[in-house]
């Protein structure tokens, strides 16, 4: 763990929180010892509930490298990633996560991270937000087409 990178992630959280960009969260994506993406929470300033620090940093890194995969990269986050950010980290193929605050620390100041972790673990029928399946046959047809598509770019 590189303390300079973690310090920068925390600095981003403080700086942009004070500027009212969003909540107190910052993140860096690092590859080969170099920062390739930075992010801070921009939920309220961009009216985008997905603009969490880690997602913003991943988007920034992918733009910088012109790729959708960040294999070999690490992410430094001022807080343990929420389930959405954790999923984005996995989708980006980031190899290691370093974090400072915990999801319980985030819950203590009013953020839903811990609640979301609990919801994901539940059976679909037991979640607070109802989830109803529809049009599966039509959707499966698209999946079947994907399976035989010769010019697809897998990820």
């Amino acid at each position: 763990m590189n303390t300079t990178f973690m310090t920068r992630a925390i600095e981003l959280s403080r700086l942009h929180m004070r500027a009212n960009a969003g909540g107190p969260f910052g993140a860096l994506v690092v590859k080969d010892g170099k920062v390739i993406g930075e992010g801070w929470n921009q939920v309220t300033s961009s009216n985008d509930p997905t603009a969490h620090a880690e997602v913003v940093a991943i988007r920034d890194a992918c733009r910088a490298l012109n790729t959708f995969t960040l294999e070999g990269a690490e992410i430094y986050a001022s807080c343990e990633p929420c389930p959405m950010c954790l999923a984005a980290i996995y989708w980006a193929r980031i190899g290691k996560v370093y974090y400072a605050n915990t999801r319980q620390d985030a819950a203590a100041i009013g953020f839903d991270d811990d609640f979301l972790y609990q919801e994901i673990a539940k059976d679909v029928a037991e979640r607070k937000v109802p989830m109803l399946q529809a049009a599966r046959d039509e959707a499966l047809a698209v999946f079947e087409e994907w399976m035989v598509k010769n010019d697809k770019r897998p990820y």
Side-chain angles (χ1 to χ4, degrees):
M1 203 277 299
N2 183 310
T3 56
T4 301
F5 295 143
M6 184 58 78
T7 298
R8 176 65 179 158
I10 295 167
E11 180 182 298
L12 288 169
S13 74
R14 179 181 292 113
L15 178 69
H16 294 286
M17 174 201 63
R18 288 178 177 170
N20 292 320
F25 305 96
L28 302 177
V29 177
V30 176
K31 188 169 183 180
D32 300 325
K34 294 182 182 180
V35 175
I36 57 170
E38 288 190 340
W40 50 90
N41 185 286
Q42 298 174 28
V43 170
T44 57
S45 60
S46 67
N47 294 317
D48 179 354
T50 69
H52 289 200
E54 298 90 335
V55 171
V56 172
I58 289 167
R59 291 173 180 165
D60 190 41
C62 288
R63 269 191 304 274
L65 297 181
N66 194 33
T67 185
F68 58 83
T69 181
L70 297 172
E71 291 181 61
E74 302 171 336
I75 192 164
Y76 288 78
S78 65
C79 187
E80 180 180 358
C82 75
M84 176 186 68
C85 293
L86 183 60
I89 288 163
Y90 274 91
W91 279 116
R93 309 293 192 253
I94 292 173
K96 191 174 284 185
V97 178
Y98 297 103
Y99 64 93
N101 290 319
T102 67
R103 65 177 108 155
Q104 292 83 10
D105 296 330
I109 62 167
F111 289 90
D112 290 342
D113 303 43
D114 195 47
F115 166 75
L116 294 173
Y117 272 101
Q118 293 172 27
E119 280 291 292
I120 286 173
K122 292 179 183 176
D123 185 80
V124 172
E126 296 174 5
R127 292 183 182 155
K128 186 172 182 167
V129 174
M131 297 183 67
L132 309 166
Q133 187 177 21
R136 183 168 183 247
D137 290 341
E138 292 93 332
L140 278 175
V142 178
F143 275 15
E144 290 166 3
E145 187 176 333
W146 170 259
M147 287 298 297
V148 298
K149 186 172 172 39
N150 292 324
D151 62 345
K152 66 185 169 194
R153 188 171 176 200
Y155 60 98

